[in-house]
């Protein structure tokens, strides 16, 4: 287990009568970049949200860096974690959303400082200089004082990535980070993600950007109707899909 | 490149001109009749405007408004957070509170608080359900018109504020909460740092209205002889029969207070619309 950064085992998730994940298993090694593709409603977002416990799971197990997510195993029984322990687990897992979800009442800099200051109680001055360094890393040092409203979509998403990185996560989850962006803004965000992947960050990326999956991804997962239909090295899956459903889906998006 | 300045001639709008002239005329006439009216006793109005008793009443009005709004907002936030919680018991308790106090007239509540000694002659701190009491006082000593007014206004205000705060909290995009959760923030931190500051934009305008209406609602306290602005004005005119003059004095002060409150509301609205 210690060899995986993320280990997802037979996870099931139901919303009422609708079973959205029907036994999904996935292993991500440290530094691995897994891209998840699949049709709308297939359960991609739900799978990501189960990893940082934004959704509770109905069956299966999720481990991040060897630690069981959402439960503690004591005397052969599972105990639900207390809220403060869940918070501690989430601090280690960054998440980037399709619609950015920056805090609109804070500047870019304040957004990036929020996690360290409020959660980790890092002194303001330290947090500010770290946040500046992160904004610089995503190419937005000159926009530190801007409010999200005053930034383009691509810039907002890069601030959102910096905000997650400020917590020094072991793992980053991306849920269609470029789907809400105008086409000419997609590349600036993908470039930040490529740099992040090259720096050794473990990433799970739900995306429709097949070019990114091919070049930056180590592993590609095609998910449909709550099950992993096909997975493997991105180039292989993309150029020689083995399953009819994968072929049909790739035929539509490529 | 050639400059193309625009100096357009405005089309004539005779209708609007006539309407404006009529409105101006009506206002001048109204002010004139009021000023020259011998029944208004301007000299009396001017002397009583800064009368000690009136200023004392004014002070009580301001104190009642400020205290009941501050505590009422606190109660409202608490009840709103309870109503949005996962626990059905907390939701039920908060729901019952708003249901009861919004559903009964404030006038009745005020009289009830003043006469609470009829129901609970002794008020104290101790073990509930008939256990021993550590401290207790006769209700009649604890409940003065001022404390009864404060209780009535505060608890009533909390019930209205609960609805306003709830609407504000619900107006915040759920994605905001999820982004904060994924940073590892606790429920309390999310409420304080992310949800409430954004809810403020929705909460402040109706709260300003509540404040302005509270300045005037305090006058209801006159039914339990609360010694605020209207009550003292009434006491004076029952003495000297200058009914209209003293009502003008009271109204002048109410207008002044609400005007100041309106300026404060504008300021707060601007403060909490940062980033928008
Ligand atoms: N909170 C919820 N309550 C009920 N149903 C939900 C909820 N969240 C998701 N679903 C349903 O679960 C299914 C999978 O949703 P999910 O968001 O995981 O799909 P997705 O693969 O991310 O799709 P998309 O590409 O459109 O984002 C959908 O049918 C959706 O309607
Ligand atoms: Mg999705």
């Amino acid at each position: 287990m210690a060899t995986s950064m993320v280990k997802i085992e037979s996870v099931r998730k139901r919303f009422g009568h609708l079973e959205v994940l029907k036994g999904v298993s996935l292993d991500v090694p440290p530094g691995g970049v897994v891209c998840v593709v699949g049709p709308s409603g297939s359960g991609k977002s739900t799978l990501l949200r189960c990893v940082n416990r934004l959704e509770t799971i109905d069956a299966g197990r999720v481990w991040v860096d060897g630690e069981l997510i959402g439960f503690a195993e004591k005397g052969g029984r599972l105990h639900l974690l207390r809220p403060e322990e869940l918070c501690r687990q989430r601090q280690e897992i960054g998440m980037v959303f399709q619609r950015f979800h920056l805090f609109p009442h804070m500047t870019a800099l304040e957004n990036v400082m929020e996690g360290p200051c409020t959660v980790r109680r890092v002194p303001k001055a330290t947090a500010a200089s770290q946040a500046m360094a992160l904004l610089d890393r995503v190419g937005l040092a000159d926009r530190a004082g801007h409010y999200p409203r005053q930034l383009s979509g691509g810039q907002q998403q890069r601030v959102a990535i910096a905000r997650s990185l400020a917590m020094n996560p072991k793992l980053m989850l991306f849920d269609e980070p470029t789907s809400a962006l105008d086409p000419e803004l997609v590349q600036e965000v993908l470039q930040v993600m490529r740099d992040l992947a090259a720096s050794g960050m473990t990433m799970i990326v739900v995306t429709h950007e097949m070019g990114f999956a091919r070049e930056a991804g180590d592993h590609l997962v095609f998910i449909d109707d709550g099950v992993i239909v096909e997975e493997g090295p991105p180039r292989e899956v993309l150029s020689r899909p083995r399953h009819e459903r994968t072929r049909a889906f790739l035929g539509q998006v490529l | 490149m050639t400059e193309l300045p625009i100096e357009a001639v405005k089309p004539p709008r005779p209708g609007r001109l006539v309407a404006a002239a009529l409105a101006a005329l009506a206002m001048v006439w109204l002010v004139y009749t009021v000023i020259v009216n011998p029944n208004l006793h301007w000299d009396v109005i001017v002397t009583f405007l800064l009368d000690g008793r009136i200023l004392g009443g004014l002070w009580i009005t301001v104190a009642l408004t400020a205290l009941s709004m501050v505590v009422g907002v606190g109660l409202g936030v608490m009840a709103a957070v309870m109503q949005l919680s996962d626990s059905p018991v907390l939701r039920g308790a908060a729901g019952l509170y708003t249901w009861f106090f919004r559903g009964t007239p404030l006038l009745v509540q005020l009289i009830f608080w003043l006469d609470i000694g009829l129901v609970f002659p002794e008020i104290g701190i101790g073990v509930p359900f008939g256990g021993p009491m550590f401290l207790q006082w006769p209700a009649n000593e604890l409940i003065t018109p001022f404390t009864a007014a404060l209780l009535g206004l505060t608890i009533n205000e909390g019930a209205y504020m609960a609805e306003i705060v709830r609407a504000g909290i619900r107006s915040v995009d759920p994605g905001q909460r999820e982004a904060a959760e994924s940073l590892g923030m606790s429920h309390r931190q999310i409420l304080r740092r992310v949800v409430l500051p954004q809810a403020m934009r929705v909460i402040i305008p109706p709260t300003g209205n509540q404040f302005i209406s509270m300045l005037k609602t305090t006058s209801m306290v006159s039914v339990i002889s609360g010694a605020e602005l209207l009550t003292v004005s009434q006491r004076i005119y029952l003495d000297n029969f200058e009914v209209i003059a003293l009502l003008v004095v009271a109204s002048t002060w109410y207008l002044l207070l609400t005007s100041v409150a309106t300026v404060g509301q504008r300021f707060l609205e601007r403060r909490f619309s940062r980033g928008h």
Side-chain angles (χ1 to χ4, degrees):
Chain A
M1 218 185 312
T3 56
S4 305
M5 180 54 84
V6 185
K7 189 173 167 67
I8 300 171
E9 204 176 290
S10 312
V11 164
R12 290 178 177 274
K13 173 66 188 175
R14 235 180 303 109
F15 289 113
H17 291 298
L18 180 72
E19 190 163 44
V20 176
L21 296 176
K22 303 171 178 170
V24 174
S25 299
L26 183 68
D27 247 24
V28 188
V33 177
V34 172
C35 293
V36 180
V37 301
S40 180
S42 56
K44 307 180 298 290
S45 300
T46 308
L47 179 65
L48 277 196
R49 294 160 59 84
C50 287
V51 174
N52 72 348
R53 213 26 168 57
L54 283 180
E55 303 286 358
T56 56
I57 56 179
D58 297 313
R61 301 283 186 277
V62 177
W63 289 271
V64 172
D65 201 19
E67 191 179 338
L68 190 58
I69 295 294
F71 304 93
E73 205 158 5
K74 274 182 255 160
R77 288 208 56 185
L78 289 183
H79 297 258
L80 277 170
L81 285 186
R82 287 194 311 237
E84 57 272 26
E85 288 168 324
L86 277 179
C87 290
R88 186 184 49 75
Q89 291 190 331
R90 287 198 184 113
Q91 291 172 31
E92 313 281 320
I93 306 171
M95 183 150 188
V96 174
F97 301 84
Q98 183 175 355
R99 318 254 355 272
F100 331 132
H101 298 321
L102 287 180
F103 306 131
H105 55 302
M106 301 180 193
T107 62
L109 189 72
E110 288 167 342
N111 265 279
V112 181
M113 289 166 63
E114 183 59 24
C117 284
T118 304
V119 179
R120 293 248 163 85
R121 309 238 170 261
V122 173
K124 268 234 160 76
T126 320
S129 68
Q130 284 167 355
M132 266 322 279
L134 280 167
L135 284 177
D136 193 36
R137 184 167 160 194
V138 299
L140 289 172
D142 56 334
R143 292 288 166 10
H146 286 52
Y147 286 97
R149 271 304 132 97
Q150 303 164 323
L151 298 173
S152 74
Q155 293 170 333
Q156 287 187 54
Q157 193 61 297
R158 286 188 279 155
V159 174
I161 293 173
R163 177 177 66 176
S164 287
L165 292 177
M167 292 300 285
N168 270 319
K170 295 173 178 164
L171 163 70
M172 287 283 287
L173 308 172
F174 292 85
D175 191 358
E176 302 199 31
T178 57
S179 296
L181 298 179
D182 292 337
E184 73 272 21
L185 302 177
V186 167
Q187 284 310 319
E188 66 184 52
V189 172
L190 290 182
Q191 191 50 49
V192 168
M193 292 168 61
R194 276 191 210 103
D195 294 346
L196 194 59
S199 78
M201 177 63 77
T202 312
M203 298 164 51
I204 305 181
V205 185
V206 173
T207 185
H208 292 302
E209 295 294 328
M210 298 305 163
F212 176 82
R214 191 192 307 265
E215 283 136 41
D218 306 317
H219 193 76
L220 185 75
V221 172
F222 172 67
I223 184 169
D224 190 10
D225 198 21
V227 293
I228 292 181
V229 175
E230 180 163 357
E231 58 183 312
R235 283 168 201 283
E236 225 164 87
V237 177
L238 289 174
S239 48
R240 271 171 276 117
R242 275 170 287 138
H243 286 263
E244 186 47 46
R245 279 198 275 175
T246 321
R247 239 168 299 179
F249 173 74
L250 291 177
Q252 280 170 3
V253 293
L254 287 181
Chain B
M1 211 166 65
T2 55
E3 296 276 346
L4 293 174
I6 293 181
E7 278 162 24
V9 178
K10 286 185 187 159
R13 305 185 60 173
R16 193 168 73 164
L17 220 67
V18 171
L22 282 177
L25 198 67
M27 279 190 293
V28 169
W29 178 75
L30 206 67
V31 171
Y32 172 78
T33 51
V34 167
I35 288 178
V36 301
N37 193 317
N39 300 325
L40 267 173
H41 303 178
W42 282 102
D43 51 326
V44 182
I45 292 174
V46 170
T47 24
F48 275 103
L49 217 42
L50 295 174
D51 183 271
R53 287 165 291 174
I54 292 286
L55 293 182
L58 181 70
W59 165 242
I60 300 227
T61 291
V62 170
L64 274 179
T65 304
L67 282 173
S68 57
M69 276 310 288
V70 168
V71 183
V73 167
L75 275 180
V77 170
M78 214 163 73
V81 170
M82 279 166 72
Q83 286 207 342
L84 296 169
S85 96
D86 292 332
S87 153
V89 178
L90 292 184
R91 276 204 308 269
L96 206 66
Y97 166 61
T98 50
W99 170 76
F100 185 84
F101 287 98
R102 292 202 315 160
T104 53
L106 176 58
L107 209 54
V108 174
Q109 291 173 28
L110 286 172
I111 298 171
F112 170 79
W113 287 116
L114 187 67
D115 296 328
I116 195 168
L118 299 178
V119 190
F120 304 106
E122 300 275 328
I123 297 173
I125 302 167
V127 179
F129 299 109
M133 297 291 279
F134 307 128
L135 282 172
Q136 67 184 357
W137 304 271
N140 289 338
E141 281 177 25
L142 219 55
I143 300 293
T144 62
F146 184 80
T147 50
L150 200 56
L151 269 172
L153 293 173
T154 302
I155 292 175
N156 190 261
E157 188 56 29
Y160 281 92
M161 282 309 301
E163 290 301 299
I164 292 173
V165 173
R166 192 166 69 117
I169 290 178
R170 296 194 57 154
S171 75
V172 178
D173 177 1
Q176 290 288 309
R177 178 170 250 126
E178 295 189 341
E181 277 179 351
S182 69
L183 288 176
M185 292 170 79
S186 68
H187 272 310
R188 186 179 299 234
Q189 289 169 336
I190 293 172
L191 193 67
R192 189 170 51 85
R193 299 283 309 165
V194 177
V195 174
L196 282 182
Q198 294 181 59
M200 280 303 181
R201 252 164 34 90
V202 174
I203 292 174
I204 283 174
T207 305
N209 283 344
Q210 290 293 109
F211 189 90
I212 285 167
S213 113
M214 177 62 86
L215 281 169
K216 294 168 298 165
T217 304
T218 52
S219 66
M220 262 199 216
V221 165
S222 61
V223 296
I224 56 172
S225 48
E228 40 53 70
L229 186 53
L230 186 64
T231 310
V232 294
S233 310
Q234 286 172 335
R235 278 187 202 145
I236 297 172
Y237 73 58
L238 288 177
D239 235 30
N240 66 5
F241 306 109
E242 292 282 359
V243 179
I244 299 298
L246 277 146
L247 289 182
V248 170
V249 167
S251 302
T252 306
W253 279 116
Y254 282 122
L255 267 174
L256 203 77
L257 290 177
T258 52
S259 308
V260 171
T262 309
V263 173
Q265 178 181 4
R266 290 284 132 72
F267 172 78
L268 279 179
E269 276 172 19
R270 216 166 323 134
R271 170 82 172 60
F272 279 97
S273 64
R274 262 184 321 180
H276 287 274

